Short mmCIF file of all heavy atoms in Angstrom, two decimals:
data_model
loop_
_atom_site.label_atom_id
_atom_site.label_comp_id
_atom_site.label_asym_id
_atom_site.label_seq_id
_atom_site.Cartn_x
_atom_site.Cartn_y
_atom_site.Cartn_z
N SER N 79 9.24 15.39 10.04
CA SER N 79 8.10 15.04 10.90
C SER N 79 6.93 15.79 10.49
O SER N 79 7.03 16.79 9.67
CB SER N 79 8.40 15.36 12.42
OG SER N 79 8.52 16.75 12.58
N GLY N 80 5.78 15.48 11.04
CA GLY N 80 4.57 16.24 10.71
C GLY N 80 4.75 17.72 11.24
O GLY N 80 4.42 18.66 10.53
N MET N 81 5.32 17.81 12.38
CA MET N 81 5.52 19.18 12.98
C MET N 81 6.55 19.96 12.18
O MET N 81 6.42 21.17 12.07
CB MET N 81 5.93 19.06 14.48
CG MET N 81 4.83 18.73 15.43
SD MET N 81 3.31 19.68 15.19
CE MET N 81 3.90 21.39 15.47
N ALA N 82 7.55 19.30 11.59
CA ALA N 82 8.48 20.06 10.70
C ALA N 82 7.75 20.57 9.51
O ALA N 82 8.01 21.66 9.09
CB ALA N 82 9.61 19.16 10.30
N ILE N 84 4.41 21.24 9.28
CA ILE N 84 3.46 22.24 9.71
C ILE N 84 4.10 23.57 10.11
O ILE N 84 3.76 24.61 9.57
CB ILE N 84 2.61 21.71 10.88
CG1 ILE N 84 1.76 20.52 10.37
CG2 ILE N 84 1.78 22.80 11.48
CD1 ILE N 84 1.18 19.68 11.49
N TYR N 105 -4.67 19.55 16.68
CA TYR N 105 -3.60 18.60 17.18
C TYR N 105 -2.75 19.37 18.13
O TYR N 105 -2.34 20.53 17.91
CB TYR N 105 -2.78 18.04 16.00
CG TYR N 105 -1.59 17.29 16.46
CD1 TYR N 105 -1.69 15.95 16.89
CD2 TYR N 105 -0.32 17.87 16.42
CE1 TYR N 105 -0.61 15.25 17.32
CE2 TYR N 105 0.78 17.12 16.83
CZ TYR N 105 0.61 15.82 17.29
OH TYR N 105 1.70 15.11 17.68
N SER N 108 0.46 21.35 17.02
CA SER N 108 0.16 22.51 16.20
C SER N 108 -0.45 23.62 17.06
O SER N 108 -0.08 24.82 16.96
CB SER N 108 -0.88 22.17 15.15
OG SER N 108 -0.51 20.97 14.43
N TYR N 146 -6.10 28.10 9.15
CA TYR N 146 -5.49 26.78 9.27
C TYR N 146 -6.55 25.85 9.95
O TYR N 146 -7.01 26.13 11.03
CB TYR N 146 -4.23 26.89 10.18
CG TYR N 146 -3.50 25.56 10.37
CD1 TYR N 146 -2.48 25.21 9.50
CD2 TYR N 146 -3.81 24.74 11.43
CE1 TYR N 146 -1.82 23.98 9.66
CE2 TYR N 146 -3.15 23.55 11.60
CZ TYR N 146 -2.16 23.15 10.72
OH TYR N 146 -1.52 21.94 10.90
N GLU N 148 -8.06 21.40 10.23
CA GLU N 148 -7.77 19.96 10.03
C GLU N 148 -8.97 19.35 9.40
O GLU N 148 -10.14 19.62 9.75
CB GLU N 148 -7.41 19.31 11.35
CG GLU N 148 -6.14 19.86 12.01
CD GLU N 148 -5.84 19.32 13.38
OE1 GLU N 148 -6.70 18.61 13.97
OE2 GLU N 148 -4.72 19.61 13.90
N MET N 150 -10.10 16.39 9.70
CA MET N 150 -10.81 15.67 10.82
C MET N 150 -10.02 16.02 12.09
O MET N 150 -8.77 16.01 12.07
CB MET N 150 -10.71 14.16 10.68
CG MET N 150 -11.74 13.55 9.73
SD MET N 150 -11.54 11.79 9.77
CE MET N 150 -12.66 11.32 8.47
N ASN N 152 -8.94 15.58 16.25
CA ASN N 152 -8.50 14.56 17.23
C ASN N 152 -8.82 15.07 18.63
O ASN N 152 -8.56 16.19 18.94
CB ASN N 152 -6.97 14.44 17.07
CG ASN N 152 -6.35 13.51 18.06
OD1 ASN N 152 -6.97 12.57 18.55
ND2 ASN N 152 -5.15 13.79 18.40
N ASP N 177 -4.59 20.38 7.50
CA ASP N 177 -3.85 19.17 7.92
C ASP N 177 -4.75 17.97 7.57
O ASP N 177 -5.83 17.80 8.11
CB ASP N 177 -3.60 19.24 9.46
CG ASP N 177 -2.85 18.05 10.01
OD1 ASP N 177 -2.91 16.94 9.38
OD2 ASP N 177 -2.18 18.16 11.09
N THR N 179 -3.94 14.73 7.73
CA THR N 179 -3.34 13.48 8.22
C THR N 179 -4.45 12.39 8.48
O THR N 179 -4.19 11.22 8.11
CB THR N 179 -2.71 13.76 9.68
OG1 THR N 179 -1.64 14.75 9.42
CG2 THR N 179 -2.10 12.50 10.26
N PHE N 180 -5.59 12.73 9.03
CA PHE N 180 -6.58 11.72 9.43
C PHE N 180 -7.32 11.16 8.19
O PHE N 180 -7.72 10.03 8.19
CB PHE N 180 -7.62 12.24 10.43
CG PHE N 180 -7.16 12.20 11.86
CD1 PHE N 180 -5.80 12.42 12.24
CD2 PHE N 180 -8.08 11.89 12.85
CE1 PHE N 180 -5.45 12.38 13.57
CE2 PHE N 180 -7.69 11.84 14.19
CZ PHE N 180 -6.34 12.07 14.52
N HIS N 198 0.74 17.03 6.12
CA HIS N 198 0.56 15.71 6.72
C HIS N 198 1.55 15.43 7.79
O HIS N 198 2.72 15.83 7.61
CB HIS N 198 0.79 14.67 5.65
CG HIS N 198 -0.44 14.34 4.77
ND1 HIS N 198 -1.41 13.45 5.18
CD2 HIS N 198 -0.85 14.82 3.61
CE1 HIS N 198 -2.31 13.34 4.23
NE2 HIS N 198 -1.97 14.18 3.32
N SER N 199 1.14 14.69 8.78
CA SER N 199 2.07 13.87 9.55
C SER N 199 2.18 12.55 8.87
O SER N 199 1.23 11.69 9.01
CB SER N 199 1.64 13.74 10.99
OG SER N 199 2.44 12.71 11.61
N ALA N 200 3.26 12.33 8.07
CA ALA N 200 3.39 11.06 7.30
C ALA N 200 3.82 9.97 8.26
O ALA N 200 3.89 8.83 7.91
CB ALA N 200 4.41 11.23 6.23
N THR N 201 4.10 10.29 9.51
CA THR N 201 4.32 9.36 10.57
C THR N 201 3.15 8.40 10.72
O THR N 201 3.31 7.26 11.11
CB THR N 201 4.51 10.10 11.92
OG1 THR N 201 5.42 11.20 11.75
CG2 THR N 201 4.99 9.23 13.07
N LYS N 202 1.97 8.91 10.41
CA LYS N 202 0.75 8.19 10.61
C LYS N 202 0.37 7.32 9.41
O LYS N 202 1.10 6.42 9.08
CB LYS N 202 -0.35 9.17 11.00
CG LYS N 202 0.05 10.30 11.93
CD LYS N 202 0.38 9.80 13.37
CE LYS N 202 1.06 10.82 14.23
NZ LYS N 202 0.43 12.11 14.33
N ALA N 211 9.32 8.86 11.72
CA ALA N 211 8.61 10.13 11.76
C ALA N 211 8.86 10.77 10.39
O ALA N 211 9.94 10.77 9.89
CB ALA N 211 9.11 11.02 12.90
N ALA N 212 7.81 11.41 9.84
CA ALA N 212 7.96 12.14 8.56
C ALA N 212 6.76 13.05 8.39
O ALA N 212 5.72 12.91 9.05
CB ALA N 212 8.04 11.19 7.40
N GLY N 213 6.94 14.05 7.47
CA GLY N 213 5.82 14.97 7.23
C GLY N 213 5.81 15.32 5.75
O GLY N 213 6.77 14.97 5.01
N SER N 329 0.01 8.03 19.21
CA SER N 329 0.11 7.96 17.76
C SER N 329 -0.99 7.15 17.15
O SER N 329 -1.87 6.60 17.85
CB SER N 329 1.52 7.43 17.31
OG SER N 329 1.72 7.80 15.92
N LEU N 330 -0.99 7.01 15.82
CA LEU N 330 -2.14 6.42 15.12
C LEU N 330 -1.73 6.15 13.65
O LEU N 330 -0.62 6.49 13.20
CB LEU N 330 -3.30 7.46 15.09
CG LEU N 330 -2.95 8.80 14.48
CD1 LEU N 330 -3.67 9.02 13.12
CD2 LEU N 330 -3.31 9.97 15.38
C1 LIG B 401 0.74 13.35 14.78
C2 LIG B 401 0.18 14.52 14.18
C3 LIG B 401 0.87 15.70 13.86
C4 LIG B 401 2.31 15.79 14.22
O1 LIG B 401 3.04 14.91 13.42
P1 LIG B 401 4.54 14.31 13.93
O2 LIG B 401 4.92 13.45 12.76
O3 LIG B 401 4.33 13.65 15.21
O4 LIG B 401 5.43 15.50 14.05
C5 LIG B 401 0.23 16.71 13.28
N1 LIG B 401 -1.11 16.65 12.95
C6 LIG B 401 -1.84 15.61 13.22
C7 LIG B 401 -3.28 15.59 12.91
C8 LIG B 401 -1.24 14.49 13.82
O5 LIG B 401 -2.04 13.39 14.17
#
Side-chain angles (χ1 to χ4, degrees):
S79 68
M81 285 312 299
I84 291 163
Y105 172 77
S108 311
Y146 183 90
E148 294 175 353
M150 277 183 186
N152 174 29
D177 181 334
T179 298
F180 276 37
H198 274 276
S199 168
T201 310
K202 318 290 169 53
S329 199
L330 59 109

